[in-house]
């Protein structure tokens, strides 16, 4: 019995010291929350995990092919009702920024982009005074 308790203690201590039991990012909970928050009329396309690894990463980036004549929406979900300093920026195929969720120092939880040119677009998440470096996002479209 003592050996079993000791083994459980050692395993628990290992997880605590390695950080896997404390402070680990779980972006799935945020992506699941983001999908129903897409605006009315937008169809869900894809979810994105935002894991800044506790601040070790300063950005997380994905790419997606956008189609001309389609409007896209990207939303961000993090702790509580705020975006926790997570900024989503959208860049076209030439890496020109075409939209951002940080406007005049304020964070908004979603951006909409009417696509005028078919091509690869880059969805970039950065952390601006974020406390958790963890969140989720959903991409939706409407025609």
């Amino acid at each position: 019995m003592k050996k079993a308790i000791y083994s459980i203690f050692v395993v628990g201590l290992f997880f605590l010291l390695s950080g896997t039991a404390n402070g680990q990012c779980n972006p799935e909970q945020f992506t699941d929350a983001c999908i129903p928050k897409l605006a009315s009329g937008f169809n869900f396309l894809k979810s994105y995990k935002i894991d800044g690894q506790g601040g070790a990463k300063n950005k997380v980036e994905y790419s997606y092919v956008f189609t001309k004549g389609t409007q896209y929406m990207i939303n961000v979900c993090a702790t509580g009702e705020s975006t926790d300093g997570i900024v989503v920026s959208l860049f076209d195929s030439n890496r020109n920024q075409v939209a951002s969720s940080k406007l005049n120092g304020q964070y908004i939880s979603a951006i909409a982009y009417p696509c005028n040119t078919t091509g690869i677009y880059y969805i970039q998440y950065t952390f601006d005074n974020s406390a958790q470096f963890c969140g989720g996002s959903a991409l939706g479209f409407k025609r």
Side-chain angles (χ1 to χ4, degrees):
M1 178 72 170
K2 271 186 168 178
K3 196 173 189 178
I5 292 172
Y6 178 75
S7 295
I8 292 170
F9 174 75
V10 170
V11 170
L13 186 61
F14 171 78
F15 281 117
L16 184 64
L17 293 175
S18 67
T20 56
N22 189 13
Q24 188 75 307
C25 178
N26 181 12
E28 288 84 11
Q29 68 182 342
F30 299 118
T31 57
D32 292 345
C34 258
I35 295 167
K37 291 183 180 179
L38 287 169
S40 178
F42 281 87
N43 298 302
F44 171 72
L45 270 176
K46 187 166 179 61
S47 63
Y48 295 103
K49 298 175 184 177
I50 307 168
D51 185 355
Q53 299 176 349
K57 289 177 141 183
N58 61 359
K59 72 176 178 179
V60 177
E61 186 174 274
Y62 297 96
S63 60
Y64 198 85
V65 176
F66 282 20
T67 305
K68 180 180 180 176
T70 303
Q71 185 170 3
Y72 294 89
M73 171 171 275
I74 306 166
N75 64 8
V76 176
C77 296
T79 56
E81 290 297 313
S82 76
T83 63
D84 185 40
I86 299 173
V87 178
V88 59
S89 300
L90 183 64
F91 297 85
D92 66 15
S93 59
N94 295 317
R95 293 280 182 177
N96 297 313
Q97 185 174 328
V98 294
S100 175
S101 66
K102 185 177 179 182
L103 300 169
N104 302 321
Q106 300 290 318
Y107 303 102
I108 55 175
S109 61
I111 57 174
Y113 178 71
C115 182
N116 295 319
T117 305
T118 298
I120 296 174
Y121 285 76
Y122 300 94
I123 303 165
Q124 186 180 93
Y125 303 93
T126 54
F127 306 98
D128 188 10
N129 296 320
S130 177
Q132 301 295 320
F133 300 93
C134 185
S137 181
L139 172 65
F141 79 100
K142 74 176 179 179
R143 294 185 189 192

